[in-house]
Amino acid sequence: MIRTVIKALAVTFRQWRYGLLALFVATLLLFIAIWLPNLSFLSYLFTNSAFSWATRLSILGGSLATLQLNSTPISRTILFILVVFAGVNVSLLVYYLKRRLALGREMGLSLTGTILGLVGVGCASCGSVVLTSIFGLGATAGFLSLLPLRGLEFGLISIFLLAVSITLISRKITDPIACPRKP
Amino acid sequence: MKPDDHIRGDASAPITLVEYSDLECPFCKSFHPGMRQLMQEYAGKVKWVYRHFPLSFHVNAQKEAEAAECAGKLGGNEKFWAYIDKIFERTTSNGTGFALDALVPLAKELDLNDARFKTCLDTGEFTAHVQQDLQEGVDFGVNGTPTTFVNGQPVEGAVPYEQLKAVVDSLLK
């Protein structure tokens, strides 16, 4: 199982743009996690004309330090693992969907048909991937919204669900897209 | 390369793609246009060798492969490839995607002598040849279709065109 995930990661991140996407998603989620508990302050910061844009950006940057102040080493570790897993999850999903769409086009399928095929429950080869990934991302979002409660147990569950999601997509990515000699 | 191989493109091209394929395999069908595109884009640089690998559970695949060989016998290399292209274009795959009784009419459509074609097909003139291709593929480690050897390097499955192109580009450097 781990070998499958490593193989899928190697295939996907061989193209630098997927690495960049993972980094972007992870960074975005990290910032959201940090700023989420301070939404009212951020709202005040951006609606009050007393602040210049330079000041706003400076305060935003400074707010990164709140991660150090408002969290324990364990919760920070969980948060970092979560955002990295979420970034990897999104990259793998995008890679997989792009490949499926490309093959679908070569087979003459319509875009709509391909997307329906990807989501459809009856599709034996690919159906569960999209829903599982959304499930995984939902878990992340759920965790992020629960961050102020500092419920570490939710973080651990989210990591588990994202790991399941990554494993399932990896299996799909490493499928050889071939008719096997022995069915 | 074998003397009876069917080659598309310039025979002296530096890159050789040997494809083991099954005319009833849906992944081979999806892979075929990408290979054709590659031949156009890299004209003079790549050549494509087609070898049969009819899977036992695709019931019509063996006979379709034999029909392609008959087309090649009667009309040469050009008709062999035209026949392959047409089957991939029309089959709905998975074993019986192209009806066996449509094999002779397809030959006629390609201006081949239908009576001679029918004789070739009915006598099983190329049954052993197709099976020989299959056995050689097994010996080379082919585990599914399509499998393409790019200058000997195996590429398994119907990889997207961009991936195939990347392999060829790396060999051309």
Side-chain angles (χ1 to χ4, degrees), chain A residues 86-139:
Chain A
V88 168
N89 193 37
V90 168
S91 274
L92 291 179
L93 180 66
V94 170
Y95 175 85
Y96 176 72
L97 291 179
K98 274 192 78 175
R99 195 176 75 173
R100 290 291 307 185
L101 288 172
L103 273 175
R105 268 200 301 276
E106 281 162 19
M107 286 177 85
L109 298 175
S110 71
L111 183 67
T112 318
T114 309
I115 291 169
L116 283 176
L118 288 168
V119 182
V121 178
C123 174
S125 65
C126 52
S128 63
V129 168
V130 173
L131 295 178
T132 313
S133 298
I134 291 167
F135 186 46
L137 286 174

Side-chain angles (χ1 to χ4, degrees), chain A residues 22 36-37 49 67 72 83 91 98 105 107 119 127 140 147 158:
Chain A
L36 205 62
S49 57
L67 185 64
T72 64
V83 297
S91 274
K98 274 192 78 175
R105 268 200 301 276
M107 286 177 85
V119 182
T140 314
L147 252 186
S158 299

